[in-house]
Amino acid sequence: MEKMGFQQQWIDLVMRCMETVHYNFLLNGEEVGHVFPTRGLRQGDPISPYLFIIGLEGLSRMFQRAEARGSLHGVKVCSRVPSISHLFFADDSFIFCKATLDEVVELRSILCEFELCSGQSINLSKSEVSFSSNLPMGFWFHLAQFLGLKLVEKHGTYLGFPLEIGTLQENNLLATEKSVVK
């Protein structure tokens, strides 16, 4: 938040909200224990979605820098429009790039750097990857294994819309991350 220009007073206030939380467990109406989380955002807290968006702004900028360098290429939905390398909705992330070893290495590098910088980690058990049909199926398994993601042929739907890459002109990859572990 500091690098994004937030005042220190605001950052301190947000950190106090995150650091002072604790959870009590009740069993039959009696307190039986409590937990003091050591890091991360609280689900259900009204400020959590905003803090999540602020946190993902850093990841978004990392993807934009990689595209500007030419080390990551998003997909285009038609000619003469900007490419799309990522979409973020609440705590869901969709990442698009060419399905080449170089780009998958770059993608993995960006995600690892984001984890180190933000303290958030990708929930690999809830994440999936799929590829366009233009890529040989044998290569699918290799890239999915390198990323540590579950390989799926289709992602199903999101908000009622099908998540398909379709038959694109280039070999492309779509990685979806269902939630970030706080």
Side-chain angles (χ1 to χ4, degrees):
M1 288 192 293
E2 200 173 279
K3 287 186 178 186
M4 294 174 69
F6 285 90
Q7 297 289 322
Q8 190 61 47
Q9 183 179 358
W10 168 256
I11 296 170
D12 292 343
L13 180 62
V14 169
M15 292 308 295
R16 277 198 308 272
C17 289
M18 291 172 54
E19 293 168 347
T20 59
V21 66
H22 68 277
Y23 300 100
N24 294 321
F25 296 96
L26 301 177
L27 180 63
N28 298 325
E30 291 186 40
E31 187 176 322
V32 293
H34 54 270
V35 173
F36 294 89
T38 58
R39 66 183 183 118
L41 303 176
R42 297 178 280 174
Q43 285 188 331
D45 188 311
I47 199 171
S48 291
Y50 302 105
L51 294 177
F52 187 80
I53 290 169
I54 291 169
L56 284 185
E57 180 61 27
L59 181 59
S60 180
R61 290 181 184 184
M62 294 169 81
F63 285 132
Q64 290 168 354
R65 280 196 315 261
E67 275 198 286
R69 284 192 311 266
S71 58
L72 201 66
H73 298 84
V75 296
K76 289 188 172 203
V77 293
C78 63
S79 61
R80 295 188 303 210
V81 298
S83 62
I84 301 169
S85 64
H86 61 284
L87 298 170
F88 300 139
F89 300 98
D91 64 348
D92 294 331
S93 305
F94 301 89
I95 303 166
F96 307 90
C97 69
K98 286 186 179 178
T100 65
L101 187 55
D102 288 342
E103 293 215 12
V104 169
V105 166
E106 178 71 12
L107 172 61
R108 185 173 169 185
S109 173
I110 290 170
L111 295 176
C112 288
E113 183 180 354
F114 174 73
E115 287 182 0
L116 288 173
C117 293
S118 70
Q120 297 185 68
S121 58
I122 308 301
N123 189 336
L124 296 177
S125 68
K126 292 185 177 181
S127 301
E128 302 173 336
V129 65
S130 67
F131 301 93
S132 73
S133 59
N134 296 329
L135 189 69
M137 192 177 281
F139 202 50
W140 293 11
F141 298 105
H142 177 69
L143 294 179
Q145 185 178 23
F146 179 79
L147 287 169
L149 300 178
K150 181 172 85 173
L151 177 62
V152 296
E153 225 173 300
K154 293 187 179 186
H155 290 275
T157 62
Y158 185 78
L159 300 176
F161 294 99
L163 292 175
E164 291 185 36
I165 295 177
T167 56
L168 300 173
Q169 297 300 316
E170 299 181 46
N171 297 330
N172 289 295
L173 166 151
L174 166 62
T176 61
E177 197 278 314
K178 300 291 183 172
S179 69
V180 175
V181 175
K182 279 70 174 179

